[in-house]
Amino acid sequence: MKMATEDRKHIALISVHGDPAVEIGKEEAGGQNVYVRQVGEALAKRGWTVDLFTRKSHRDDREIVEHAPNCRTIRLVAGPEEFIPRNDIFDDLPTFVEEFVKFQEREGIHYPVIHTNYWLSAWVGMELKKYQPLVQLHTYHSLGAVKYQAVEAIPAIATTRLNVEKTCLETAECIVATSPQECEHMRSLVSERGTIEIIPCGTDIRRFRAMSKAEARNQLGLEQDRNIAFYIGRFDRRKGIETLVRAIAQTQIRAQGNLQLIIGGGSRPGHSDGIERDRIEGIVNELGLSEITTFPGRISDELLPVYYAAADVSVVPSHYEPFGLVAIEAMASGTPVIASDVGGLQFTVKSEETGLLCPPKDDGAFAEAIDRILGDREWRDRLGQAARARVEAKFSWDGVASQLSDLYNRVLAEKTAPVTLKASA
Ligand code: UDP
């Protein structure tokens, strides 16, 4: 049934620093960009009119990008129209709020629901609430309280971030945690107050599917008989790529000369991701792995499912992940996952059933896990099939978007419900 325009509810998804319209794998674009875009498009199919707001970070970028009927990205000018690292964006947020308000006035739209993403957007949402009635839902994507436990140099913005994250948890109408582990961290490290619902991230189970390994390898020009371990993601120290490389060097399967390592992901020379890529390449060379390691760079949307299907195992060695989309993309492709035993990865990867979990930063444990899975093809295939089944049952975008849509409606109804007075006796 086609829904009349006037019946559709407006929602704004705000993602100040993660542009949902950019090519993923470029300029630090990763899970948050994917999440906002996918949630947006899925909600539009469910009858919402969805506007995704972000900061315009290139002079040549279009101000409005239409993704699908009733789903578009709107880029607001707030600060210089160039890439700014996320730790340096805070001072431009008041302008972002002003531009958001002006946009609403110009278009004659009022958003009764906003879903903010990452702490910068949480601040924007809390400011907007001062000017207009709305309900705010928020997804953290990363928690300062967790992140700062693990980094050596705490940035100057840390206090502001921690305050914003706490206030948001206590005042937003609802926080969307993407895993029980993330929810637990919010409660133990941020605040016991505030409402939290757990709704996982999802993935497109039609795009990521179990295709034939032989066909996938043919398409990519990869050897048929070689074992392939695959990493995809941003080049960031916290992704633990070093652990993977050191693990590969210790595997028996490598000593037998039957292993290839593919490390995919975009990077820019001289920027933080380019510096990390060079560091990793340095370790690869130092350990004598350059012959068996390839760096294909950013992998296009069309080829990414083919890479997952071509791999024998996908490795997610992050120091921490609130969710970790890569794990479910690999699983949807029928590829077992070896991941760090942390955060959302404990929720998505079932150790011994859909892959293996290892202590983070423990290259010996990762090496053993790689040998176990690559050393038993039958078990590898069984893990891959169970992985696919788990994603179909729990992490498809359609299911996730339906849970989010129900939540928005519920929160809106609670907020707008008239207060019922108790009848006096
Ligand atoms: N990704 C990609 N191409 C790349 C690098 C990353 O498409 O070259 C995608 C990857 O498929 C996944 C997302 O970026 O959808 C990374 O999300 P994840 O939650 O694993 O990590 P985050 O970037 O949020 O830390």
Side-chain angles (χ1 to χ4, degrees), residues 24-25 30-31 34 232 234 239 265-266 298-299 304 324-326 329:
I24 305 304
V34 173
I232 178 77
R234 292 179 298 115
K239 291 285 174 188
R298 175 184 180 265
I299 296 177
L304 186 57
L325 278 175
V326 163
E329 290 169 1

Side-chain angles (χ1 to χ4, degrees), residues 7 15 154 198 252 346 374 394:
D7 290 340
S15 175
I154 305 231
I198 300 169
Q252 286 167 16
Q346 295 173 325
L374 298 187
K394 283 193 164 273

Side-chain angles (χ1 to χ4, degrees), residues 216-249:
R217 288 187 181 194
N218 254 344
Q219 204 179 323
L220 299 172
L222 296 169
E223 278 181 49
Q224 291 295 347
D225 299 331
R226 187 71 76 87
N227 285 297
I228 297 180
F230 179 52
Y231 168 88
I232 178 77
R234 292 179 298 115
F235 278 94
D236 182 315
R237 263 194 192 224
R238 287 183 304 278
K239 291 285 174 188
I241 311 170
E242 176 172 355
T243 307
L244 167 61
V245 172
R246 293 196 182 281
I248 291 288

Side-chain angles (χ1 to χ4, degrees), residues 353-375:
E353 283 174 37
T354 68
L356 289 168
L357 290 171
C358 301
K361 302 186 192 169
D362 186 340
D363 36 62
F366 273 87
E368 207 178 293
I370 293 168
D371 274 331
R372 274 188 69 198
I373 292 184
L374 298 187

Side-chain angles (χ1 to χ4, degrees), residues 4 30 54 80 95 106 123 134 156 175 222 228 249 257 272 290 311 316 324 339 384 396 399 402 414 423:
T54 193
T95 316
R106 221 169 37 235
W123 187 88
L134 54 82
I175 301 294
L222 296 169
I228 297 180
S272 63
S290 48
V316 187
S396 83
S402 130
E414 277 163 18

Side-chain angles (χ1 to χ4, degrees), residues 14-61:
I14 304 181
S15 175
V16 176
H17 87 282
D19 184 336
V22 294
E23 288 179 6
I24 305 304
K26 274 192 175 165
E27 286 195 343
E28 299 182 11
Q32 180 175 325
N33 310 59
V34 173
Y35 177 87
V36 173
R37 169 84 172 266
Q38 294 297 324
V39 167
E41 289 193 18
L43 288 173
K45 282 195 205 134
R46 305 194 91 81
W48 293 82
T49 297
V50 187
D51 285 339
L52 316 174
F53 287 87
T54 193
R55 197 187 76 82
K56 189 163 184 274
S57 60
H58 286 288
R59 196 161 295 282
D60 300 337
D61 281 349

Side-chain angles (χ1 to χ4, degrees), residues 252-270:
Q252 286 167 16
I253 217 121
R254 179 241 167 176
Q256 292 157 7
N258 186 13
L259 185 57
Q260 179 175 358
L261 171 62
I262 302 177
I263 302 178
S267 60
R268 299 151 300 158

